């Protein structure tokens, strides 16, 4: 197994737990890190989309990453979310994450400014050339308003420290294209829980998951079974999680998953504006899922 496949299986897109006033709850963060180490999660993504990267300032962003790395103390790999729509800011965040001891960085496609495919290529190429750390691309057009093509990803896959991609399109034609176009040791991770099993059966190596926040041990079993090619067993195990996969996206992530973890007693309800806590109409859906899985 090469270093590029050290993130095989279920990697958690970890929430950033907060008190009701929005301040980061570092004690709950410690407990969540231990929870994932005990569950066998492959790695933790710190301050990605689910970790509310869009609502924390730069200093706080780095403070959360630093705390996560120090508390984890090499017991589990830490992937730092360091993407930005400004190339210079992404370089700065990535360099700082390297300095703090991150194992790799996750870099989302620049949002809002809608770069061309060549712009995307040059953006990621410059970050990779500027900071000597393993980097994972992140394509999530539903949030960024830009879709990185398979062809652009394939070009970037030739850069030695760009080791993989998190694809959150939910489009299985994309994984087929990536398997065909990218080197065999280029890490292919899904960012879409609903289609993850099919993604893995088509040649993916793992995922960066929201559901893993709630059921890390169960999801790791599903993922590793699918990666091993045992389709029937993986689909059967995943069936129990299907409702949770769907309901964790009834409102914008991480609103539902934070509510779920709150109900499980893992953290407070805190979330930052412009995000607000889960609407009352959706709470019974999440609570029912948790009861079905014997989590509350």
């Amino acid at each position: 197994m090469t270093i590029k496949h050290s993130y095989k299986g279920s990697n958690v897109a970890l929430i950033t737990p907060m008190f009701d006033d929005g301040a980061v709850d570092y004690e709950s963060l410690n407990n969540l890190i231990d929870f994932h180490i005990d569950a066998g999660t492959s790695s933790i993504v710190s301050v990605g989309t689910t970790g509310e990267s869009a609502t924390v300032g730069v200093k706080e962003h780095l403070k959360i990453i630093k705390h996560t790395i120090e508390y984890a103390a090499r017991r589990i790999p830490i992937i730092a979310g360091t993407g930005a729509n400004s190339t210079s800011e992404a370089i700065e965040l990535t360099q700082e994450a390297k300095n703090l001891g991150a194992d790799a960085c996750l870099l989302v496609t620049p949002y809002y400014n809608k770069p061309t495919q060549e712009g995307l290529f040059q953006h990621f190429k410059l970050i990779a050339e500027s900071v000597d750390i393993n980097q994972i691309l992140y394509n999530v057009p539903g949030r960024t308003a830009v879709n990185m093509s398979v062809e652009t990803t394939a070009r970037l896959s030739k850069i030695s420290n760009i080791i993989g991609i998190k694809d959150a399109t939910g489009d299985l034609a994309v994984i087929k294209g990536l398997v065909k176009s990218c080197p065999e040791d280029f890490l292919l991770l899904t960012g879409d829980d609903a289609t993850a099993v099919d993604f893995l059966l088509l040649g993916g190596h793992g995922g960066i998951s929201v559901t893993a926040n709630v059921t890390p041990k169960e999801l790791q079993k599903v993922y590793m079974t699918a990666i091993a090619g045992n389709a029937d067993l993986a689909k059967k195990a995943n069936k129990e999680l299907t409702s949770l996969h769907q309901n964790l996206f009834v409102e914008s992530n991480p609103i539902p998953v934070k509510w779920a973890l709150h109900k499980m007693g893992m953290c407070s309800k805190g979330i930052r504006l412009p995000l607000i806590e889960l609407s009352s109409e959706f709470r019974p859906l999440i609570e029912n899922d948790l009861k079905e899985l014997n989590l509350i």
Side-chain angles (χ1 to χ4, degrees):
M1 185 185 293
T2 69
I3 184 64
K4 298 186 183 185
H5 287 189
S6 61
Y7 306 107
K8 189 175 175 180
S10 173
N11 306 272
V12 65
L14 192 67
I15 69 152
T16 298
M18 297 172 182
F19 294 110
D20 291 352
D21 64 359
V24 176
D25 178 356
Y26 285 100
E27 186 178 348
S28 290
L29 179 56
N30 292 347
N31 293 336
L32 288 170
I33 293 166
D34 287 334
F35 177 56
H36 286 284
I37 291 167
D38 292 343
T41 296
S42 297
S43 78
I44 287 171
V45 174
S46 177
V47 204
T49 305
T50 311
E52 291 178 75
S53 56
T55 61
V56 297
V58 172
K59 284 183 182 176
E60 191 174 35
H61 187 131
L62 293 170
K63 184 181 177 183
I64 296 163
I65 291 170
K66 181 176 189 283
H67 182 95
T68 302
I69 290 167
E70 289 179 352
Y71 184 78
R74 296 286 162 198
R75 293 176 294 158
I76 187 172
I78 306 298
I79 301 172
T82 59
N85 56 357
S86 157
T87 306
S88 60
E89 184 180 326
I91 290 170
E92 183 183 345
L93 284 170
T94 304
Q95 183 62 58
E96 288 297 323
K98 183 195 173 182
N99 296 346
L100 292 170
D103 294 283
C105 289
L106 180 69
L107 291 133
V108 71
T109 52
Y111 41 87
Y112 189 77
N113 47 23
K114 299 175 79 169
T116 62
Q117 293 302 310
E118 185 60 27
L120 289 170
F121 176 78
Q122 294 296 338
H123 169 82
F124 288 118
K125 178 173 177 281
L126 185 58
I127 300 166
E129 289 172 347
S130 301
V131 189
D132 184 19
I133 188 172
N134 284 340
Q135 297 174 25
I136 300 169
L137 311 171
Y138 178 16
N139 189 34
V140 57
R143 282 193 180 258
T144 61
V146 62
N147 184 27
M148 188 159 63
S149 69
V150 168
E151 291 74 21
T152 300
T153 304
R155 286 177 72 196
L156 289 164
S157 71
K158 296 182 175 73
I159 298 171
S160 62
N161 62 326
I162 296 180
I163 65 165
I165 185 169
K166 174 185 177 182
D167 175 73
T169 61
D171 182 353
L172 295 175
V174 173
I175 178 62
K176 292 177 184 175
L178 292 171
V179 168
K180 189 176 177 182
S181 306
C182 297
E184 200 175 319
D185 62 350
F186 189 70
L187 188 69
L188 302 176
L189 301 173
T190 179
D192 184 65
D193 285 309
T195 58
V197 169
D198 289 324
F199 181 101
L200 298 172
L201 292 170
L202 287 167
H205 304 115
I208 294 176
S209 167
V210 175
T211 303
N213 279 279
V214 179
T215 56
K217 192 177 290 185
E218 295 80 359
L219 199 70
Q220 184 68 285
K221 183 181 175 184
V222 169
Y223 277 24
M224 297 310 286
T225 304
I227 291 164
N230 199 329
D232 290 343
L233 204 58
K235 287 178 179 177
K236 185 180 178 183
N238 191 56
K239 197 171 183 181
E240 293 178 20
L241 302 177
T242 301
S243 179
L244 185 64
H245 291 327
Q246 293 172 343
N247 289 334
L248 288 179
F249 291 90
V250 288
E251 289 186 332
S252 296
N253 177 48
I255 293 171
V257 72
K258 277 201 146 180
W259 180 260
L261 288 169
H262 164 63
K263 293 304 292 184
M264 290 167 65
M266 303 287 284
C267 62
S268 300
K269 296 183 292 185
I271 196 163
R272 287 194 185 173
L273 286 169
L275 302 179
I276 57 173
E277 67 183 64
L278 187 67
S279 302
S280 56
E281 64 185 288
F282 295 125
R283 292 175 192 176
L285 292 176
I286 299 292
E287 289 172 32
N288 186 61
D289 286 337
L290 297 178
K291 285 173 185 171
E292 288 287 321
L293 293 163
N294 296 314
L295 296 172
I296 57 172

